[in-house]
mmCIF file of all heavy atoms in Angstrom:
data_model
loop_
_atom_site.group_PDB
_atom_site.id
_atom_site.type_symbol
_atom_site.label_atom_id
_atom_site.label_comp_id
_atom_site.label_asym_id
_atom_site.label_seq_id
_atom_site.Cartn_x
_atom_site.Cartn_y
_atom_site.Cartn_z
ATOM 1 N N ASN A 4 -77.062 40.843 -42.571
ATOM 2 C CA ASN A 4 -78.108 39.861 -42.826
ATOM 3 C C ASN A 4 -78.982 39.795 -41.579
ATOM 4 O O ASN A 4 -78.541 39.368 -40.525
ATOM 5 C CB ASN A 4 -77.485 38.498 -43.126
ATOM 6 C CG ASN A 4 -78.518 37.469 -43.535
ATOM 7 O OD1 ASN A 4 -79.656 37.506 -43.097
ATOM 8 N ND2 ASN A 4 -78.108 36.554 -44.393
ATOM 9 N N LYS A 6 -81.683 37.993 -41.073
ATOM 10 C CA LYS A 6 -82.397 36.734 -40.876
ATOM 11 C C LYS A 6 -81.957 36.026 -39.597
ATOM 12 O O LYS A 6 -82.764 35.427 -38.893
ATOM 13 C CB LYS A 6 -82.186 35.823 -42.074
ATOM 14 C CG LYS A 6 -82.917 34.497 -41.985
ATOM 15 C CD LYS A 6 -82.676 33.661 -43.238
ATOM 16 C CE LYS A 6 -83.356 32.310 -43.135
ATOM 17 N NZ LYS A 6 -83.117 31.473 -44.337
ATOM 18 N N TYR A 7 -80.652 36.095 -39.308
ATOM 19 C CA TYR A 7 -80.106 35.415 -38.134
ATOM 20 C C TYR A 7 -79.762 36.447 -37.061
ATOM 21 O O TYR A 7 -79.084 37.431 -37.333
ATOM 22 C CB TYR A 7 -78.854 34.633 -38.520
ATOM 23 C CG TYR A 7 -79.115 33.546 -39.540
ATOM 24 C CD1 TYR A 7 -78.883 33.759 -40.887
ATOM 25 C CD2 TYR A 7 -79.583 32.297 -39.142
ATOM 26 C CE1 TYR A 7 -79.121 32.764 -41.831
ATOM 27 C CE2 TYR A 7 -79.820 31.294 -40.068
ATOM 28 C CZ TYR A 7 -79.593 31.531 -41.410
ATOM 29 O OH TYR A 7 -79.828 30.546 -42.333
ATOM 30 N N GLU A 158 -70.427 26.205 -36.840
ATOM 31 C CA GLU A 158 -71.750 26.745 -37.149
ATOM 32 C C GLU A 158 -72.672 26.784 -35.941
ATOM 33 O O GLU A 158 -72.685 25.861 -35.115
ATOM 34 C CB GLU A 158 -72.402 25.910 -38.257
ATOM 35 C CG GLU A 158 -73.865 26.239 -38.556
ATOM 36 C CD GLU A 158 -74.098 27.618 -39.194
ATOM 37 O OE1 GLU A 158 -73.131 28.409 -39.277
ATOM 38 O OE2 GLU A 158 -75.232 27.902 -39.583
ATOM 39 N N GLY A 159 -73.448 27.848 -35.850
ATOM 40 C CA GLY A 159 -74.544 27.885 -34.906
ATOM 41 C C GLY A 159 -74.399 28.865 -33.762
ATOM 42 O O GLY A 159 -73.308 29.320 -33.416
ATOM 43 N N PRO A 229 -72.969 32.124 -48.380
ATOM 44 C CA PRO A 229 -71.913 31.152 -48.099
ATOM 45 C C PRO A 229 -71.464 30.402 -49.343
ATOM 46 O O PRO A 229 -72.278 30.041 -50.185
ATOM 47 C CB PRO A 229 -72.576 30.199 -47.090
ATOM 48 C CG PRO A 229 -73.669 30.992 -46.472
ATOM 49 C CD PRO A 229 -74.181 31.887 -47.561
ATOM 50 N N MET A 246 -66.280 24.678 -46.489
ATOM 51 C CA MET A 246 -67.451 25.505 -46.761
ATOM 52 C C MET A 246 -67.642 26.552 -45.667
ATOM 53 O O MET A 246 -67.069 26.454 -44.592
ATOM 54 C CB MET A 246 -68.715 24.652 -46.864
ATOM 55 C CG MET A 246 -69.400 24.315 -45.544
ATOM 56 S SD MET A 246 -68.571 23.065 -44.562
ATOM 57 C CE MET A 246 -69.153 21.609 -45.439
ATOM 58 N N ILE A 247 -68.478 27.551 -45.996
ATOM 59 C CA ILE A 247 -68.957 28.511 -45.007
ATOM 60 C C ILE A 247 -70.435 28.205 -44.771
ATOM 61 O O ILE A 247 -71.146 27.819 -45.693
ATOM 62 C CB ILE A 247 -68.768 29.961 -45.510
ATOM 63 C CG1 ILE A 247 -67.290 30.259 -45.722
ATOM 64 C CG2 ILE A 247 -69.379 30.970 -44.535
ATOM 65 C CD1 ILE A 247 -66.417 30.170 -44.488
ATOM 66 N N THR A 248 -70.890 28.373 -43.537
ATOM 67 C CA THR A 248 -72.244 27.990 -43.170
ATOM 68 C C THR A 248 -73.102 29.215 -42.829
ATOM 69 O O THR A 248 -72.575 30.287 -42.525
ATOM 70 C CB THR A 248 -72.200 27.017 -41.990
ATOM 71 O OG1 THR A 248 -71.369 27.567 -40.959
ATOM 72 C CG2 THR A 248 -71.629 25.670 -42.426
ATOM 73 N N PRO A 249 -74.440 29.063 -42.888
ATOM 74 C CA PRO A 249 -75.334 30.235 -42.859
ATOM 75 C C PRO A 249 -75.251 31.130 -41.629
ATOM 76 O O PRO A 249 -75.094 32.352 -41.758
ATOM 77 C CB PRO A 249 -76.725 29.599 -42.990
ATOM 78 C CG PRO A 249 -76.498 28.310 -43.685
ATOM 79 C CD PRO A 249 -75.171 27.824 -43.185
ATOM 80 N N TYR A 250 -75.386 30.555 -40.427
ATOM 81 C CA TYR A 250 -75.413 31.404 -39.236
ATOM 82 C C TYR A 250 -74.080 32.110 -39.032
ATOM 83 O O TYR A 250 -74.024 33.326 -38.797
ATOM 84 C CB TYR A 250 -75.759 30.575 -37.992
ATOM 85 C CG TYR A 250 -75.888 31.423 -36.736
ATOM 86 C CD1 TYR A 250 -77.095 32.035 -36.412
ATOM 87 C CD2 TYR A 250 -74.802 31.611 -35.887
ATOM 88 C CE1 TYR A 250 -77.212 32.825 -35.268
ATOM 89 C CE2 TYR A 250 -74.914 32.389 -34.742
ATOM 90 C CZ TYR A 250 -76.115 32.992 -34.438
ATOM 91 O OH TYR A 250 -76.223 33.777 -33.320
ATOM 92 N N CYS A 251 -73.022 31.344 -39.141
ATOM 93 C CA CYS A 251 -71.690 31.917 -38.944
ATOM 94 C C CYS A 251 -71.411 33.005 -39.983
ATOM 95 O O CYS A 251 -70.858 34.056 -39.675
ATOM 96 C CB CYS A 251 -70.652 30.806 -39.030
ATOM 97 S SG CYS A 251 -69.041 31.303 -38.480
ATOM 98 N N PHE A 252 -71.813 32.743 -41.216
ATOM 99 C CA PHE A 252 -71.649 33.733 -42.283
ATOM 100 C C PHE A 252 -72.390 35.023 -41.933
ATOM 101 O O PHE A 252 -71.849 36.132 -42.067
ATOM 102 C CB PHE A 252 -72.164 33.184 -43.611
ATOM 103 C CG PHE A 252 -72.268 34.221 -44.691
ATOM 104 C CD1 PHE A 252 -71.135 34.693 -45.338
ATOM 105 C CD2 PHE A 252 -73.505 34.751 -45.047
ATOM 106 C CE1 PHE A 252 -71.230 35.668 -46.327
ATOM 107 C CE2 PHE A 252 -73.611 35.723 -46.027
ATOM 108 C CZ PHE A 252 -72.470 36.181 -46.672
ATOM 109 N N ALA A 253 -73.644 34.885 -41.476
ATOM 110 C CA ALA A 253 -74.437 36.064 -41.151
ATOM 111 C C ALA A 253 -73.801 36.885 -40.036
ATOM 112 O O ALA A 253 -73.794 38.119 -40.075
ATOM 113 C CB ALA A 253 -75.852 35.644 -40.758
ATOM 114 N N MET A 254 -73.236 36.202 -39.032
ATOM 115 C CA MET A 254 -72.596 36.913 -37.931
ATOM 116 C C MET A 254 -71.359 37.690 -38.416
ATOM 117 O O MET A 254 -71.142 38.846 -38.049
ATOM 118 C CB MET A 254 -72.181 35.944 -36.821
ATOM 119 C CG MET A 254 -73.342 35.201 -36.159
ATOM 120 S SD MET A 254 -74.607 36.283 -35.436
ATOM 121 C CE MET A 254 -75.866 36.196 -36.729
ATOM 122 N N CYS A 255 -70.560 37.027 -39.251
ATOM 123 C CA CYS A 255 -69.369 37.689 -39.785
ATOM 124 C C CYS A 255 -69.759 38.832 -40.721
ATOM 125 O O CYS A 255 -69.137 39.898 -40.709
ATOM 126 C CB CYS A 255 -68.490 36.676 -40.522
ATOM 127 S SG CYS A 255 -67.664 35.492 -39.433
ATOM 128 N N GLN A 256 -70.793 38.627 -41.518
ATOM 129 C CA GLN A 256 -71.265 39.662 -42.439
ATOM 130 C C GLN A 256 -71.718 40.905 -41.674
ATOM 131 O O GLN A 256 -71.501 42.035 -42.117
ATOM 132 C CB GLN A 256 -72.418 39.105 -43.278
ATOM 133 C CG GLN A 256 -72.896 40.029 -44.394
ATOM 134 C CD GLN A 256 -74.097 39.458 -45.111
ATOM 135 O OE1 GLN A 256 -75.034 38.969 -44.479
ATOM 136 N NE2 GLN A 256 -74.079 39.485 -46.427
#
Side-chain angles (χ1 to χ4, degrees):
N4 186 329
K6 181 179 178 181
Y7 298 97
E158 172 68 352
M246 84 285 280
I247 298 298
T248 50
Y250 184 86
C251 192
F252 169 75
M254 297 303 101
C255 289
Q256 187 184 45

